[in-house]
Amino acid sequence: MSRPLSDQERRKQISVRGLAGAENVAELKKSFNRHLHFTLVKDRNVATARDYYFALAHTVRDHLVGRWLRTQQYYYEKDPKRIYYLSLEFYMGRSLQNTMVNLGLQSSCDEAIYQLGLDMEELQEMEEDAGLGNGGLGRLAACFLDSMASLGLAAYGYGIRYEFGIFNQKIAGGWQVEEADDWLRYGNPWEKARPEYVIPVQFYGRVEHSPDGAKWVDTQVVLALPYDTPVPGYRNNTVNTMRLWSARAPNDFNLKDFNVGGYIQAVLDRNLAENISRVLYPNDNFFEGKELRLKQEYFVVAATLHDIIRRFKSSKFGCRDPVRTSFDAFPDKVAIQLNDTHPSLAIPELMRILVDEEKLSWDKAWDVTVRTCAYTNHTVLPEALERWPVQLLEALLPRHLEIIYEINQRFLDHVYATFPGEHERLRRMSLVEEGSVKRINMAHLCIVGSHAVNGVARIHSEILKNTVFKDFYELEPQKFQNKTNGITPRRWLVLCNPGLADVIAERIGEEYVADLDQLRQLLNFVDDDSFIRDVAKVKQENKLKLAALLEREQGLRLNPGSLFDVQVKRIHEYKRQLLNCLHVITLYNRIKKEPNKPFVPRTVMIGGKAAPGYHMAKMIIKLITSIGDVVNHDPMVGDRLKVLFLENYRVSLAEKVIPAADLSEQISTAGTEASGTGNMKFMLNGALTIGTMDGANVEMAEEAGEENLFIFGMRVEDVEALDRKGYCAHDYYERLPELKQVIDQLNSGFFSPRQPDLFRGIVNMLMNHDRFKVFADYEAYVKCQEKVSALYKDTREWTRMVIRNIAASGKFSSDRTIAQYAREIWGAEPTRHRIPAPDEPRE
Ligand SMILES: *Cc1c(COP(=O)(O)O)cnc(C)c1O
């Protein structure tokens, strides 16, 4: 057994954060002072914390530049297959610490900033989150960029540079209030505008057919201006590019239009074009068929495909003939991954380019398109599936609609040849949905136009094959795959939980950061008292730190000895924050009923944003804050139970909350959460999971052993059986007295004394039309929570279970996920190969 190390010994041994050499530190200080002077134009007398942040950001960024240029040059020379990850969302969060971690600069920077008499954490807090995402889907894209760079793939993230990301959430009087996220106000040191690579994107117009083929004419043009952000790999000198497009009106915008009043109006109207990249739509798992959103989706697709084809044509080996490009090699040189259907117009756009502009035959173009594109499905919720009205497409993208119709015609001919006489099957599989409004089903378009279709956890991929996409699976089973999601251990362990990363590195070395399966070695330490103590101590430190932060920022006082029970994720009925609420009220009622009975103290924290137009989600937030108002001020409760709503949940808050959690709430109705990634972050950071057999929880239980999670409630089969039988909430209400009491309290205004009917809508939903069957899992959930509390009393056994979970979390590295995408979908080989650094000799 190993002797605990002193802090100093630990710092010497562990270089997870890089080693702080005296020369490096001196050089960093010099660079920092130079940037403060020349870039920020400030001196130490007038500089603010923000100035210091920018000076440090520029200093760190300088270390990226040579590696970035070298990497791109290396890709040009070697011409590997390029991977294009197309996404309407990249939820990146902050970049400063991530860059320091991946470049191994953290210790040197810490020391330099310390020697300059400044506070690193204060500077880091000045960085705005790049909140260009809603939740899991956008954060997945960000984790994938980190892993693609860390695995040496020649990959690019392509998306939109929204001027306003996900709104900032304020809580006023217990209600959510949205505030615009003006994240670029102080400038963004991580991006580089590339106006020289601006690309025209066309909208509207009409199609002319002639013997030469189709021509899209009389279009309106909007310019796509690229901004590049470096994506550093973990200590391998690779720096990839995330290219985000910003919309600009052309200089002659509306000026030559006869129907426009004049010059001033024309200049003012430039906003109409530039609104395309103004704001991220704040819906998570919900389709809102707005024209501006459709413009965004086509805008990113058109600009990106233009870029991809330009790069292919100018590549050294890919395409030699200067007169006429052969696209035969295109699918061997290019992979396009569609992050949900949001960029699905890439399929008809690639067809349009190949057929109308490059003059390939339809069949040739289709072969190239299908072999190039692959589609990831992220949800089975029907309200989330994109189904664009034909009328909208016809006006905005007339040629693309024609192409979609042609794809559909040929596809249905093929289906009918395979399943003769099955007219009902044709109707179900058509890309075109008939009805009061005629719509295009974009998931169907993606399946037909891709060579691979994947779900994001094993159970989800099975549901796709067996239910939502059953017909498509029967036609082309070879297309269907699973790629269980993952998270990057750089941000979600080394960056956010350095204490735990160190304690692990002391036992198993630090290679695990790039090879997370090595965490299995921690099983050798489940009986090691010094390790158990270290892990418990790190958790306690993280809890104290979060408690201090919440007291500072939200004026909340919490009991750091209590069990930190955390549910942070978007607010959605399917995620069942309401089930959590019912449990909290049950605990409250139990304390009130038997105030002298022993009680394991709990702090329940719930955080997440509600889509601004989602009424029920906003009511759920108001309910959580209202429960807190009653529970937190009841003297009989004391510090045994607290209910907190965590304001403005986002990447940078996740980094502080997750390392401090004891219990992770993953309680969606089985069959509704495609994967979840929050669940994985908690597991890696030493929280135990209470969850249903849904999404990736299933595989977490498989990796750790079901006995090491708190699994409860209906499985998918049980939910289906209950559906067949008919779910009746009243039955549970009548049968379970504690549930009845909670619902009666909500109904009578116990938690909203000044507005007794405030929560009637929630009660009515739960009792009469609850799609997610909250009551059906209530009893099992409450019983399971009792087991949680019982185990928590035994710190040692609790911590041993935590260690077994950390040891089992290796599978959930996004490095594993990306290696599987690379080998099984993209036909590219991932390597941990190190490109030589700028100051090293070339190979
Ligand atoms: C990981 C993450 C999510 C996804 O959480 P789920 O629990 O999987 O829904 C959402 N928001 C943020 C800020 C995240 O970091």
Side-chain angles (χ1 to χ4, degrees):
M1 299 231 184
S2 50
R3 177 179 64 85
L5 298 162
S6 73
D7 280 358
Q8 201 175 2
E9 282 173 310
R10 190 187 276 181
R11 230 173 282 130
K12 264 197 200 134
Q13 274 195 0
I14 306 303
S15 59
V16 171
R17 272 157 297 168
L19 293 168
E23 274 174 56
N24 294 341
V25 173
E27 197 52 48
L28 286 166
K29 282 163 70 182
K30 235 171 92 181
S31 173
F32 177 95
N33 285 325
R34 205 171 25 159
H35 277 299
L36 189 64
H37 187 87
F38 289 104
T39 310
L40 280 302
V41 195
K42 288 275 180 93
D43 59 36
R44 294 281 310 245
N45 298 313
V46 290
T48 63
R50 181 169 289 107
D51 294 318
Y52 294 133
Y53 156 68
F54 277 105
L56 178 58
H58 279 104
T59 301
V60 170
R61 178 184 167 279
D62 288 345
H63 289 256
L64 282 167
V65 172
R67 291 176 169 88
W68 198 5
L69 291 168
R70 267 251 186 138
T71 301
Q72 301 311 312
Q73 196 179 346
Y74 181 86
Y75 291 159
Y76 180 78
E77 296 295 337
K78 296 243 159 150
D79 197 28
K81 185 165 184 176
R82 306 308 207 286
I83 312 300
Y84 296 102
Y85 198 80
L86 269 64
S87 180
L88 271 282
E89 303 187 17
F90 287 94
Y91 204 169
M92 303 295 281
R94 292 175 177 155
S95 287
L96 174 59
Q97 197 186 356
N98 186 247
T99 307
M100 295 189 294
V101 165
N102 281 14
L103 265 42
L105 285 174
Q106 204 175 18
S107 291
S108 313
C109 286
D110 281 348
E111 183 60 27
I113 291 302
Y114 174 78
Q115 288 184 15
L116 288 161
L118 299 169
D119 177 354
M120 178 61 99
E121 283 191 22
E122 189 194 350
L123 303 198
Q124 289 177 168
E125 285 302 308
M126 300 315 299
E127 181 171 359
E128 299 272 350
D129 276 36
L132 310 185
N134 276 287
L137 174 147
R139 183 54 232 177
L140 185 77
C143 284
F144 280 4
L145 293 186
D146 181 85
S147 284
M148 290 190 290
S150 298
L151 292 174
L153 292 166
Y156 304 77
Y158 271 94
I160 295 175
R161 179 182 179 269
Y162 300 108
E163 198 176 321
F164 296 89
I166 188 66
F167 62 84
N168 282 313
Q169 178 191 58
K170 293 274 156 68
I171 299 295
W175 298 95
Q176 166 174 296
V177 177
E178 301 89 18
E179 220 170 56
D181 167 42
D182 192 4
W183 71 295
L184 295 166
R185 185 174 38 219
Y186 297 102
N188 175 4
W190 306 106
E191 69 181 9
K192 177 73 189 85
R194 305 272 187 210
E196 67 276 28
Y197 300 135
V198 68
I199 285 169
V201 175
Q202 301 173 277
F203 292 99
Y204 301 107
R206 58 192 174 80
V207 184
E208 272 179 359
H209 288 275
S210 75
D212 292 350
K215 251 180 129 176
W216 185 15
V217 297
D218 292 346
T219 53
Q220 296 178 28
V221 170
V222 177
L223 301 179
L225 172 61
Y227 284 76
D228 289 349
T229 299
V231 179
Y234 180 69
R235 317 245 172 127
N236 64 353
N237 295 323
T238 294
V239 180
N240 284 344
T241 301
M242 175 177 71
R243 176 162 282 186
L244 302 182
W245 302 103
S246 180
R248 288 286 181 282
N251 282 338
D252 61 359
F253 188 77
N254 269 358
L255 276 174
K256 48 193 182 177
D257 245 16
F258 57 87
N259 62 348
V260 167
Y263 163 73
I264 294 290
Q265 194 56 46
V267 173
L268 297 180
D269 283 351
R270 292 171 65 85
N271 271 323
L272 269 31
E274 296 176 355
N275 278 342
I276 289 175
S277 56
R278 195 76 69 204
V279 58
L280 167 75
Y281 274 87
N283 301 318
D284 187 67
N285 277 297
F286 186 77
F287 171 59
E288 188 184 343
K290 288 281 194 289
E291 182 179 36
L292 182 61
R293 168 71 180 197
L294 183 60
K295 283 184 181 168
Q296 290 181 338
E297 293 186 359
Y298 180 64
F299 176 72
V300 59
V301 156
T304 301
L305 277 173
H306 197 105
D307 225 28
I308 291 173
I309 288 169
R310 176 194 53 73
R311 192 172 292 119
F312 171 72
K313 286 185 173 179
S314 65
S315 71
K316 225 165 141 182
F317 307 113
C319 145
R320 283 158 192 262
D321 191 336
V323 188
R324 183 105 137 71
T325 307
S326 161
F327 282 86
D328 291 346
F330 193 76
D332 303 321
K333 286 288 163 193
V334 174
I336 295 177
Q337 191 67 36
L338 306 176
N339 195 21
D340 212 311
T341 59
H342 312 153
S344 59
L345 289 166
I347 290 164
E349 173 69 358
L350 184 52
M351 286 299 288
R352 188 189 67 79
I353 295 168
L354 296 178
V355 173
D356 295 356
E357 296 181 358
E358 301 291 342
K359 304 294 179 194
L360 267 64
S361 72
W362 180 278
D363 289 333
K364 178 79 222 167
W366 185 244
D367 177 67
V368 168
T369 298
V370 172
R371 289 202 291 138
T372 302
C373 296
Y375 157 56
T376 304
N377 172 277
H378 285 271
T379 180
V380 298
L381 295 181
E383 65 270 34
L385 302 178
E386 290 193 298
R387 293 149 66 245
W388 286 105
V390 160
Q391 274 204 352
L392 257 183
L393 282 167
E394 195 167 25
L396 193 68
L397 302 166
R399 179 56 183 149
H400 296 78
L401 182 63
E402 285 185 357
I403 290 170
I404 290 169
Y405 278 144
E406 180 71 25
I407 293 171
N408 194 39
Q409 187 60 57
R410 288 164 182 254
F411 173 65
L412 291 182
D413 287 349
H414 172 64
V415 175
Y416 202 72
T418 315
F419 300 98
E422 294 198 29
H423 292 96
E424 190 51 24
R425 187 185 290 267
L426 287 189
R427 189 195 57 74
R428 292 197 307 266
M429 296 183 79
S430 177
L431 310 196
V432 185
E433 295 180 359
E434 305 290 343
S436 54
V437 230
K438 202 163 145 185
R439 295 168 182 275
I440 305 298
N441 185 313
M442 306 310 270
H444 292 188
L445 172 63
C446 283
I447 299 170
V448 173
S450 300
H451 68 281
V453 176
N454 75 281
V456 290
R458 192 207 297 140
I459 187 175
H460 167 61
S461 298
E462 289 302 313
I463 291 171
L464 293 184
K465 291 190 289 186
N466 299 331
T467 61
V468 253
F469 300 146
K470 185 164 191 282
D471 292 318
F472 294 88
Y473 176 63
E474 285 169 2
L475 183 72
E476 301 180 293
Q478 76 288 349
K479 277 190 181 179
F480 286 78
Q481 298 196 20
N482 173 245
K483 296 288 168 280
T484 298
N485 281 167
I487 55 169
T488 170
R490 272 71 69 182
R491 182 175 296 266
W492 297 113
L493 182 58
V494 177
L495 179 156
C496 72
N497 201 343
L500 184 58
D502 275 0
V503 159
I504 295 170
E506 281 171 30
R507 301 324 197 274
I508 66 171
E510 48 191 86
E511 268 182 28
Y512 75 90
V513 176
D515 179 13
L516 208 62
D517 287 324
Q518 290 192 26
L519 288 176
R520 282 272 175 215
Q521 295 170 44
L522 292 177
L523 287 179
N524 299 327
F525 299 88
V526 276
D527 299 312
D528 181 331
D529 286 317
S530 83
F531 186 61
I532 297 169
R533 250 186 286 114
D534 283 354
V535 169
K537 181 165 166 247
V538 167
K539 180 62 73 180
Q540 198 52 40
E541 287 165 359
N542 293 339
K543 288 171 73 173
L544 285 167
K545 203 166 167 192
L546 179 66
L549 175 102
L550 292 179
E551 179 154 5
R552 229 178 21 248
E553 299 203 340
Q554 290 190 35
L556 306 165
R557 297 209 51 165
L558 33 154
N559 170 6
S562 64
L563 188 166
F564 280 15
D565 170 344
V566 182
Q567 186 176 22
V568 282
K569 47 182 74 250
R570 287 299 290 256
I571 308 293
H572 206 297
E573 285 163 89
Y574 87 83
K575 292 176 181 279
R576 298 202 295 191
Q577 281 90 2
L578 284 172
L579 181 57
N580 194 340
C581 290
L582 300 186
H583 173 247
V584 172
I585 299 172
T586 303
L587 290 183
Y588 175 71
N589 290 338
R590 286 181 180 180
I591 292 173
K592 299 289 281 187
K593 194 171 169 207
E594 298 183 278
N596 297 318
K597 209 179 155 192
F599 186 88
V600 179
R602 275 200 196 225
T603 303
V604 179
M605 304 178 214
I606 305 177
K609 292 173 184 175
Y614 188 174
H615 176 255
M616 187 57 72
K618 290 185 145 179
M619 289 306 300
I620 292 170
I621 291 175
K622 176 62 179 171
L623 174 61
I624 297 161
T625 58
S626 300
I627 297 169
D629 288 343
V630 172
V631 171
N632 302 346
H633 300 117
D634 189 325
M636 228 159 133
V637 172
D639 66 357
R640 289 183 288 183
L641 183 62
K642 286 276 179 287
V643 185
L644 312 177
F645 187 83
L646 301 178
E647 209 174 282
N648 205 24
Y649 181 60
R650 61 199 187 282
V651 173
S652 59
L653 185 57
E655 290 164 7
K656 300 177 180 109
V657 171
I658 293 170
D662 293 307
L663 185 66
S664 160
E665 299 269 355
Q666 308 299 337
I667 58 178
S668 52
T669 314
T672 63
E673 186 76 272
S675 163
T677 50
N679 46 3
M680 304 168 185
K681 298 170 197 166
F682 283 98
M683 186 188 198
L684 181 58
N685 280 279
L688 297 184
T689 301
I690 183 165
T692 49
M693 276 297 202
D694 198 19
N697 299 354
V698 176
E699 291 159 75
M700 287 162 51
E702 177 173 282
E703 292 297 303
E706 200 172 322
E707 68 282 8
N708 290 306
L709 283 77
F710 296 96
I711 298 290
F712 71 94
M714 296 180 288
R715 315 290 209 237
V716 170
E717 302 72 34
D718 304 320
V719 175
E720 288 166 353
L722 187 51
D723 269 325
R724 283 193 296 274
K725 174 178 153 235
Y727 167 66
C728 179
H730 292 257
D731 295 349
Y732 302 91
Y733 170 84
E734 296 296 347
R735 187 166 61 76
L736 304 168
E738 288 191 297
L739 174 61
K740 181 169 190 302
Q741 184 188 1
V742 172
I743 296 304
D744 291 346
Q745 286 168 319
L746 291 176
N747 214 30
S748 67
F750 184 90
F751 293 101
S752 54
R754 288 190 302 189
Q755 212 180 323
D757 56 0
L758 187 61
F759 299 122
R760 293 265 170 95
I762 291 181
V763 169
N764 179 44
M765 182 276 289
L766 288 171
M767 293 289 288
N768 301 310
H769 40 88
D770 177 9
R771 296 169 57 206
F772 303 105
K773 305 183 176 63
V774 170
F775 291 5
D777 276 336
Y778 168 83
E779 189 180 21
Y781 179 57
V782 172
K783 287 220 172 96
C784 195
Q785 289 281 20
E786 289 168 9
K787 289 196 204 164
V788 171
S789 290
L791 185 67
Y792 190 72
K793 286 194 282 189
D794 186 342
T795 304
R796 182 182 150 85
E797 281 312 305
W798 178 278
T799 307
R800 291 180 69 231
M801 197 181 275
V802 162
I803 292 167
R804 284 185 224 113
N805 270 268
I806 298 171
S809 63
K811 175 175 180 181
F812 305 103
S813 168
S814 47
D815 294 350
R816 186 271 311 152
T817 313
I818 286 299
Q820 291 179 329
Y821 274 92
R823 298 200 174 102
E824 298 162 20
I825 297 180
W826 302 332
E829 194 48 36
T831 60
R832 281 284 307 164
H833 170 78
R834 253 176 107 257
I835 297 180
D839 54 356
E840 288 170 9
R842 277 161 209 251
E843 290 187 321

